[in-house]
Amino acid sequence: MNNDSEQITPVPEVDKIALRYDYLLHASVPKSEYWGITYPDSEGVPHNMEELRQACLHYKDLSLKEEKYIDSYKKYNYHLAQAEYTSCSEYCHSLSFVVQASRTDVCNLSCKFCRHEPIKNINALSIEIWQQALPELLPSVIEFISYCWGEPLLDEYFGATYALARKYRAKVSFITNWQQVTEQNAETVLRDVQRIFISVDTVNPDVFEKLRNGGTLEKIERNLQLLYSISRRLGLKLPWIGLSVVLTRNTLPDLPHLIEWAYEKGMMGVSARRVVMRENIERLLADETIDLSSNEYWDIHHAAVKTAETYRLALNMPVQLYLDRDDTRCLCPWTHLYMNPEGKLHLCAFSHRNSLGTVPIQSDFWNSGNLRKARREFLKRPRCSECASLDSVGFTGASQMRGY
């Protein structure tokens, strides 16, 4: 197996639906400086599983007493989680190091391909329960992703949440439609957020407004300029900024132009996914889904990669996997946790296949039967049928990404 990132290339034309194991492993296992989030190195980490567990527990105990040990605990927990994943362990000695959470699912747009119903529920976890739950999750967390179907900038406790994440030295990222930017929340972003993905699917303003009903490209551009001006005025470093793109048959041909647009607007990467099909949107998008094995897709795929390399932007593109491959086993039962606006806990924001309980989090949560059961199930059936992540693991941009 070749782990050299310089040698990793898109799937060859002669076998478009196959995916080499080294390509998948390189792309899907979190690594250092991954899209603006730095993960711990392995220096000093024991190779023996039992020694690694003991080191992790040792630094966990120390971190509860003194904040200066939090980073060491995160490091050992991160490597223990990956070791448990690699060894197919069902035991939960490590804790999730990536947490996705949304306090609200309220949104100011009505996007054509949103997985929610057109009329969204106005759910919001009380700030008291939210602030009680996060300290149970954040000590082990490297990346705190604040999004999942709502617009985070509409949360009135936006700043308080990210300040709490900063206290536990969790790196914050979120996905936003970037329509509701004010000077106040822009300053919060500059102080507390490491990475932003802005939802844009096309550079055509008319098509954009049809897909993202209620939003405009012009407002995104204006709000970016507001962020940049506040950054200069206050002397605060910009976060890593990229695009989150939903690919449909209509937007796919625009992708190389969108990558160029992202570069012109000062962004550092583009992450493209296919539509996450759900019953409420399948009828609307039945004629717009993409065949990932078609010549049309791969022609545009290669053009997009070439454009990203030209501008030295990171690029994530969907690739077709063999559905029966064991080496595409999902990482989430070993690495992730998702908390929805009702306080329900799941492995992932895309699937509710395994319910793990609700907040407030009980003391025995990490070794509960629910989490171990979930791991056992994924060892037998390694992915969800509706997954939109495992076919989007291609880290196919330039080998030296802009901004690193």
Side-chain angles (χ1 to χ4, degrees):
M1 183 176 72
N2 191 342
N3 288 319
D4 185 352
S5 62
E6 295 284 348
Q7 302 300 316
I8 293 171
T9 57
V11 180
E13 182 71 13
V14 294
D15 192 5
K16 286 184 276 190
I17 64 169
L19 185 66
R20 294 202 317 278
Y21 176 63
D22 58 342
Y23 183 90
L24 175 70
L25 185 66
H26 171 82
S28 59
V29 176
K31 51 196 176 297
S32 296
E33 297 192 20
Y34 183 77
W35 292 69
I37 301 293
T38 302
Y39 280 84
D41 60 38
S42 59
E43 184 178 354
V45 175
H47 294 289
N48 178 278
M49 178 74 86
E50 186 56 35
E51 290 180 9
L52 181 54
R53 287 172 182 160
Q54 292 302 321
C56 184
L57 289 172
H58 173 69
Y59 281 105
K60 180 180 181 181
D61 290 340
L62 289 177
S63 70
L64 295 174
K65 300 172 184 175
E66 297 185 63
E67 286 188 8
K68 68 179 181 179
Y69 293 108
I70 289 178
D71 289 338
S72 295
Y73 169 49
K74 290 179 188 290
K75 173 177 178 174
Y76 284 96
N77 180 77
Y78 165 74
H79 286 287
L80 179 58
Q82 291 203 72
E84 290 183 344
Y85 170 80
T86 303
S87 63
C88 301
S89 173
E90 70 176 63
Y91 294 97
C92 310
H93 298 284
S94 62
L95 278 62
S96 301
F97 59 79
V98 177
V99 166
Q100 299 166 275
S102 297
R103 205 188 68 85
T104 177
D105 67 358
V106 176
C107 188
N108 51 304
L109 304 187
S110 179
C111 300
K112 183 176 180 181
F113 36 65
C114 183
R115 73 189 291 269
H116 280 320
E117 294 293 339
I119 300 176
K120 298 181 176 62
N121 297 319
I122 303 178
N123 295 320
L125 200 63
S126 73
I127 190 62
E128 292 78 18
I129 294 179
W130 180 254
Q131 291 180 330
Q132 180 183 356
L134 289 185
E136 295 288 333
L137 302 173
L138 290 173
S140 65
V141 169
I142 296 171
E143 182 178 359
F144 176 73
I145 305 174
S146 175
Y147 78 104
C148 302
W149 322 119
E151 170 51 51
L153 295 180
L154 293 178
D155 185 356
E156 62 181 313
Y157 295 103
F158 176 84
T161 295
Y162 293 173
L164 187 60
R166 182 178 59 181
K167 176 184 176 182
Y168 287 95
R169 297 208 269 279
K171 299 174 176 68
V172 175
S173 64
F174 67 87
I175 295 179
T176 172
N177 57 50
W178 206 238
Q179 304 285 318
Q180 299 290 314
V181 181
T182 64
E183 289 206 13
Q184 182 178 0
N185 60 32
E187 185 174 337
T188 297
V189 167
L190 291 168
R191 294 188 184 281
D192 295 330
V193 176
Q194 280 70 45
R195 181 175 67 188
I196 305 170
F197 280 107
I198 300 174
S199 297
V200 180
D201 317 294
T202 175
V203 294
N204 184 312
D206 294 332
V207 175
F208 178 91
E209 290 174 26
K210 289 178 181 177
L211 293 174
R212 304 274 178 183
N213 184 31
T216 68
L217 273 176
E218 187 272 335
K219 187 173 287 187
I220 288 175
E221 294 174 351
R222 188 170 67 242
N223 288 337
L224 279 171
Q225 291 307 313
L226 174 62
L227 183 73
Y228 297 158
S229 66
I230 295 174
S231 170
R232 290 191 296 269
R233 175 163 54 85
L234 299 180
L236 296 173
K237 182 181 177 181
L238 287 167
W240 191 99
I241 305 173
L243 290 185
S244 176
V245 181
V246 176
L247 294 176
T248 67
R249 196 170 297 174
N250 288 331
T251 62
L252 178 63
D254 206 22
L255 185 59
H257 304 294
L258 187 58
I259 294 169
E260 184 176 359
W261 181 89
Y263 172 80
E264 292 172 352
K265 303 307 173 187
M267 300 184 190
M268 300 171 186
V270 175
S271 179
R273 293 182 183 271
R274 64 184 175 91
V275 176
V276 183
M277 297 306 290
R278 289 291 188 276
E279 184 177 350
N280 62 301
I281 62 172
E282 192 165 2
R283 174 175 44 81
L284 294 174
L285 294 174
D287 296 329
E288 297 186 27
T289 55
I290 298 169
D291 179 359
L292 297 183
S293 64
S294 68
N295 288 328
E296 176 190 12
Y297 174 73
W298 280 97
D299 287 344
I300 296 172
H301 181 118
H302 290 306
V305 169
K306 185 176 180 179
T307 305
E309 289 174 342
T310 298
Y311 294 109
R312 297 179 69 188
L313 264 66
L315 176 64
N316 187 83
M317 287 283 289
V319 287
Q320 181 69 48
L321 305 181
Y322 284 129
L323 295 180
D324 59 349
R325 288 176 66 104
D326 290 337
D327 53 32
T328 59
R329 176 165 49 90
C330 180
L331 289 161
C332 289
W334 289 263
T335 61
H336 285 58
L337 189 69
Y338 168 56
M339 182 169 66
N340 77 4
E342 297 174 304
K344 296 178 180 178
L345 301 168
H346 300 276
L347 296 174
C348 171
F350 289 103
S351 173
H352 294 168
R353 169 176 158 185
N354 295 90
S355 177
L356 303 178
T358 59
V359 295
I361 295 171
Q362 303 302 313
S363 59
D364 64 345
F365 170 78
W366 297 105
N367 282 299
S368 69
N370 286 342
L371 193 52
R372 289 182 60 184
K373 179 182 177 182
R375 288 189 173 190
R376 284 197 299 271
E377 287 185 8
F378 274 83
L379 289 173
K380 296 176 182 176
R381 184 162 65 93
R383 73 197 60 80
C384 301
S385 59
E386 69 271 30
C387 182
S389 296
L390 281 175
D391 68 357
S392 299
V393 296
F395 202 40
T396 56
S399 57
Q400 296 182 354
M401 268 59 74
R402 181 170 167 240
Y404 291 176

